[in-house]
Amino acid sequence: MRALNVAAPWGLDAIKVVELPDPTPGPGQVLVRMKAVSLNYRDLLMVNGMYGRGAANTSDVITPFSDGCGVVEAVGAGVTRVKPGDRVATLFFQSWVSGPPTLEKLMTALGFPIPGAGSELQTFSEHGVSKVPDFLTDQQVATLPCAALTAWRGLFVDARLEPGDTVVLQGTGGVSIFGLQFAHAAGLRTVVTSSSDAKLARAKALGADHLVNYKTTPDWSKAVREATGGRGADFIMEVGGGGTIQESMKAVKIGGHIAIIGVVAGAGEPFNPAALIGNSAKLQGLSVGSRDMFEAMCRAMALRGISPVVDKVFPFTEAKAAFSAMAGGEHFGKIVLTF
C-alpha cells in the first residue's frame, strides 16, 4: 500500500508518498480501505514540525490526518460493531466513546500519538470508527470527525444554545462553516466574520444573518453589539486565539460562552481578563468530542439533509498542493484528499 509520511526536517517538501506492507487487523481492530481524508489546521502544524511528536522528537515519522472515510475491508477477532463492506468515518479520539474527556481518552488522537488515516489501508480500533449517513459522499464524510464535531459540541453540548440565540462564527474555515450550517438549521441567529467579501457572500448563501468584514471593521465587536441590540452574542466560535480574543470578550453577552478552538491569528496582544470578568462569561477550550456526540450529529445531519461544504479536492499524491492552499487561506469550508 501507499501512505503519506512526513519527518525531519519537516515542512511541505518533507511530505513523501511511501510504499509500506499491507497491515492486518488484530483482535478488536478493523482494516479500512481509505477513500478520502480532509485537512485540518492541526495537520498543517504537524507537517511543519510544530505539533506533537514533530515538535518534540525530530527522529519520528508521522502519518498525518485524523479525518477520513473508508470501507471496512476486514475485521479482527471479536469485532462486532462493523463488518466488511461497511462505510465508516474515522474518529478523532479512538477511545473517547462517551462521557467527559479524560487524559486517557485524549491520548488516543489519530495523527499523534496514533498513526493517522493518510494511507490507502489503515487499521483502527473497532471503537474508533463509526458508520455514516448514506446520503453523504466519501469526500463529505471525510470532513466530519474534527471540524464538524467540534462545531456540534461547542454549540449544542457545551453551550446548549436554543433557537433565537446569537452565535458568532469567526472566518470561513471548516469549523466555522459547519457551525453556520448547524446554527442555521437550529434556528439560531448567525454572525459571520471574514476578511473576504466574496467569502461573506458565500456565507450569506448558506444562511448567515449578519456579515462583518474584519479588515474593514477591525472592531467587529461593535457590529455584533449592534446586531443584537446591545445585548451581545450568546456564543462565539473563537478560532483566532490571542489575535482575536479581545474582540470576542467585548462581543459576548453577560453570561455568554466563548469556545476556544484555534490559534490561527497568533499571539496577539496580552490577555486581559477584565472584559470577561465584567461579563461573567465563560471561556472554554474545546477539542473535538466523543463517539456518542459524533453519532448524534450524524443523525441530525441526516434529518435535516445537511451536506458539508467541500471547497477543494486533490489526489492524495498532491498533498503538498493541498497544504499550500490551506496555508494560503484559499479555502471556504474544507479541503479533501482522495485515494
Side-chain angles (χ1 to χ4, degrees):
M1 70 165 188
R2 294 177 298 172
L4 290 170
N5 279 354
V6 62
W10 310 107
L12 298 188
D13 289 333
I15 302 172
K16 305 297 183 186
V17 178
V18 298
E19 294 277 350
L20 298 173
D22 290 358
T24 302
Q29 291 186 323
V30 298
L31 177 66
V32 177
R33 183 167 293 279
M34 301 307 300
K35 299 295 185 180
V37 293
S38 71
L39 278 64
N40 294 305
Y41 188 67
R42 171 183 184 255
D43 297 307
L44 182 61
L45 293 178
M46 282 186 183
V47 167
N48 285 324
M50 300 168 62
Y51 184 99
R53 66 179 69 169
N57 187 341
T58 56
S59 67
D60 284 329
V61 175
I62 291 175
T63 300
F65 304 113
S66 56
D67 294 21
C69 174
V71 175
V72 176
E73 189 148 298
V75 300
V79 171
T80 58
R81 292 196 68 248
V82 295
K83 64 184 184 304
D86 286 343
R87 190 173 68 137
V88 297
T90 58
L91 297 176
F92 189 97
F93 292 113
Q94 290 285 285
S95 295
W96 188 3
V97 174
S98 60
T102 64
L103 177 61
E104 290 76 18
K105 294 172 183 176
L106 299 187
M107 286 302 293
T108 62
L110 289 180
F112 172 76
I114 296 173
S119 57
E120 291 176 318
L121 289 167
Q122 186 59 281
T123 56
F124 305 98
S125 164
E126 70 165 321
H127 301 294
V129 297
S130 183
K131 297 178 186 177
V132 289
D134 291 336
F135 80 99
L136 298 177
T137 68
D138 294 341
Q139 295 174 15
Q140 291 171 333
V141 168
T143 69
L144 300 180
C146 181
L149 186 53
T150 296
W152 176 269
R153 175 186 164 191
L155 293 168
F156 306 120
V157 179
D158 291 346
R160 298 185 179 277
L161 298 174
E162 299 178 351
D165 286 347
T166 299
V167 303
V168 174
L169 293 318
Q170 292 182 359
T172 54
V175 178
S176 294
I177 293 302
F178 273 118
L180 169 59
Q181 291 179 286
F182 292 156
H184 180 67
L188 306 174
R189 187 209 322 248
T190 52
V191 182
V192 175
T193 71
S194 174
S195 61
S196 164
D197 287 338
K199 290 181 177 180
L200 287 172
R202 294 182 68 180
K204 181 69 173 179
L206 287 175
D209 297 299
H210 302 278
L211 310 171
V212 184
N213 186 314
Y214 63 78
K215 270 196 172 178
T216 57
T217 309
D219 52 349
W220 52 264
S221 60
K222 294 180 181 178
V224 174
R225 290 281 173 184
E226 182 178 348
T228 57
R231 181 171 176 265
D234 297 90
F235 177 88
I236 297 175
M237 194 75 77
E238 173 58 60
V239 305
T244 53
I245 189 62
Q246 297 296 345
E247 282 300 300
S248 290
M249 290 192 295
K250 295 175 186 176
V252 72
K253 76 164 190 177
I254 294 175
H257 187 116
I258 302 173
I260 302 287
I261 67 161
V263 290
V264 177
E269 59 192 86
F271 178 78
N272 180 355
L276 195 69
I277 295 170
N279 273 347
S280 297
K282 176 189 286 187
L283 191 66
Q284 180 174 346
L286 171 55
S287 180
V288 200
S290 68
R291 191 181 78 199
D292 281 357
M293 296 177 201
F294 181 88
E295 293 179 347
M297 175 190 75
C298 286
R299 290 193 295 272
M301 293 181 71
L303 179 66
R304 293 300 181 195
I306 298 173
S307 295
V309 178
V310 176
D311 190 52
K312 297 180 183 298
V313 180
F314 298 82
F316 89 103
T317 52
E318 296 181 16
K320 178 180 176 181
F323 277 115
S324 294
M326 169 173 273
E330 300 174 12
H331 58 297
F332 177 96
K334 295 294 288 183
I335 299 172
V336 170
L337 303 178
T338 58
F339 290 88

